[in-house]
């Protein structure tokens, strides 16, 4: 309880890929790096982590001019020896980790517009997410440049609480949909736009507070209220076959309202029986 100082709460934790280090973030915006002291046991018995040793704090004496100005909400190590941190100060930062300190890589990414505390980073260390309300932006960790976006319709509720990558980075699990539903998306890339694959609906309709993928990606768990749910994740082939291509649309009517917004109604054949009454779908016209 005193790892970051008196009256300071720990708000984020993350282990390095090799398990030798972990980082902690706190309510005052501070970040510290720790080394795990491993007790080697006899052959055939698993080793045990006995305690942690503080390596350094993210302070000017260790190369950090300034850390976050509000609570750290997410920390992620990458295989390239980087640490990505997100905070309630609406910033995203990438740190180069060194033996005795850390250095900010590139500029601080400011002006996040959203309430995603658990903001994800791809497991391969390629992309980081940047929330903009109705849009999730995928930025390159190496160059900070925008590589792709994932959006919900403007009249929908914005992304909220969490946005995390699956273990193979092919899927994104997000929160913010009505009635506490989570949404599973195909991660957009250079060849394929992102699209919704599934929605997961908690029984009581309470918004989720956290979620995680299983290491093999076969299922995910989420917590809503006092309950924990387990969700089956579709296979790569199921995701690949999710979209229905070359659908015939029959124009029913079109109109222009007082605000000069056009409205168009189509009739769509439900040949595969996958469309459900009252459930939204996305139609892409190319």
């Amino acid at each position: 309880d005193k790892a970051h100082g008196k009256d300071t709460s720990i708000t984020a934790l993350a282990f390095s890929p090799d398990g030798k280090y972990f980082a902690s973030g706190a309510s005052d915006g501070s970040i510290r790096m720790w080394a795990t002291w491993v007790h080697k046991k006899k052959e055939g018995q698993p080793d045990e982590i006995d305690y942690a040793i503080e390596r350094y704090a993210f302070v000017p004496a260790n190369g950090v001019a300034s850390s976050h100005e509000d609570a750290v909400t997410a920390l992620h190590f990458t295989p390239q020896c980087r640490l990505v941190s997100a905070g309630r100060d609406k910033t995203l930062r990438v740190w180069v980790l060194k033996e005795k300190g850390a250095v900010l890589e590139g500029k601080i990414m400011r002006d996040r517009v959203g309430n995603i505390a658990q903001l994800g980073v791809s497991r391969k260390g390629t992309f980081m997410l940047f929330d903009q309300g109705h849009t999730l932006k995928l930025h390159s960790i190496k160059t900070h440049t925008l590589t792709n976006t994932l959006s919900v319709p403007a009249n929908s509720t914005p992304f909220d609480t969490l946005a995390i990558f699956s273990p193979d980075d092919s899927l994104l699990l997000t929160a913010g949909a009505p009635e506490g539903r989570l949404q599973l998306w195909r991660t957009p890339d250079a060849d394929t736009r992102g699209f919704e694959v599934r929605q997961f609906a908690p029984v009581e309709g309470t918004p989720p507070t956290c979620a995680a993928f299983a290491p093999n990606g076969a299922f995910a768990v989420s917590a809503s209220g006092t309950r924990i749910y387990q969700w089956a994740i579709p296979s790569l082939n199921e995701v690949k076959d999710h979209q229905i291509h070359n659908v015939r649309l029959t124009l029913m009517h079109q109109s222009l309202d007082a605000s000069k917004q056009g409205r168009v109604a189509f009739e769509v054949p439900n040949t595969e029986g996958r469309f459900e009454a009252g459930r939204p779908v996305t139609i892409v016209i190319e």
Side-chain angles (χ1 to χ4, degrees):
D1 59 342
K2 296 181 181 179
H4 282 252
K6 185 178 180 181
D7 300 325
T8 302
S9 301
I10 305 300
T11 53
L13 292 167
F15 260 104
S16 62
D18 60 7
K20 294 181 179 180
Y21 303 92
F22 69 88
S24 60
S27 57
D28 62 355
S30 62
I31 300 174
R32 293 178 184 266
M33 190 67 62
W34 306 80
T36 55
W37 193 90
V38 178
H39 174 62
K40 295 289 185 179
K41 302 189 75 174
K42 295 181 180 180
E43 185 177 352
Q45 295 181 338
D47 297 337
E48 293 181 351
I49 296 178
D50 281 1
Y51 56 85
I53 304 171
E54 182 179 340
R55 293 300 303 272
Y56 54 83
F58 281 40
V59 295
N62 296 324
V64 178
S66 64
S67 187
H68 288 273
E69 297 172 4
D70 204 340
V72 178
T73 63
L75 292 169
H76 296 278
F77 282 88
T78 76
Q80 296 80 21
C81 204
R82 302 291 188 270
L83 182 72
V84 180
S85 63
R88 288 197 188 126
D89 56 1
K90 301 299 182 182
T91 69
L92 195 67
R93 309 176 190 221
V94 180
W95 309 94
V96 179
L97 302 177
K98 299 187 176 183
E99 184 68 21
K100 296 182 180 180
V103 176
L104 183 69
E105 185 172 62
K107 294 182 179 180
I108 298 173
M109 299 181 66
R110 301 183 183 277
D111 302 324
R112 289 171 47 211
V113 182
N115 296 309
I116 300 180
Q118 300 171 47
L119 201 57
V121 169
S122 65
R123 302 295 176 92
K124 297 176 183 177
T126 308
F127 304 113
M128 53 187 172
L129 296 175
F130 190 88
D131 52 332
Q132 291 277 282
H134 290 85
T135 302
L136 278 178
K137 296 183 177 182
L138 279 74
H139 285 263
S140 165
I141 293 178
K142 184 178 181 179
T143 64
H144 289 205
T145 54
L146 177 66
T147 60
N148 226 311
T149 60
L150 179 69
S151 301
V152 293
N155 59 349
S156 301
T157 55
F159 294 106
D160 197 3
T161 308
L162 62 93
I164 57 176
F165 284 90
S166 62
D168 64 359
D169 298 336
S170 67
L171 300 170
L172 283 168
L173 184 65
T174 68
E179 300 174 352
R181 297 193 303 272
L182 294 103
Q183 294 170 282
L184 186 69
W185 307 84
R186 197 307 194 162
T187 304
D189 57 30
D191 301 318
T192 307
R193 61 182 294 274
F195 57 86
E196 185 185 285
V197 179
R198 294 284 191 279
Q199 285 195 5
F200 302 130
V203 174
E204 71 276 19
T206 303
T209 55
C210 54
F213 280 94
N216 62 3
F219 63 90
V221 292
S222 67
S224 296
T226 59
R227 296 189 178 186
I228 296 177
Y229 294 88
Q230 179 174 315
W231 312 105
I233 301 299
S235 66
L236 292 176
N237 286 334
E238 289 176 309
V239 174
K240 181 181 178 181
D241 296 336
H242 179 76
Q243 291 179 307
I244 302 174
H245 298 276
N246 302 320
V247 177
R248 184 180 181 85
L249 304 178
T250 302
L251 178 64
M252 302 300 292
H253 65 82
Q254 55 186 331
S255 62
L256 188 67
D257 62 22
S259 63
K260 296 185 179 181
Q261 287 188 332
R263 296 180 181 274
V264 182
F266 294 100
E267 183 179 77
V268 182
N270 195 10
T271 53
E272 297 185 25
R274 289 166 56 182
F275 299 139
E276 300 177 9
R279 183 171 180 177
V281 298
T282 300
I283 298 175
V284 178
I285 301 176
E286 297 179 337

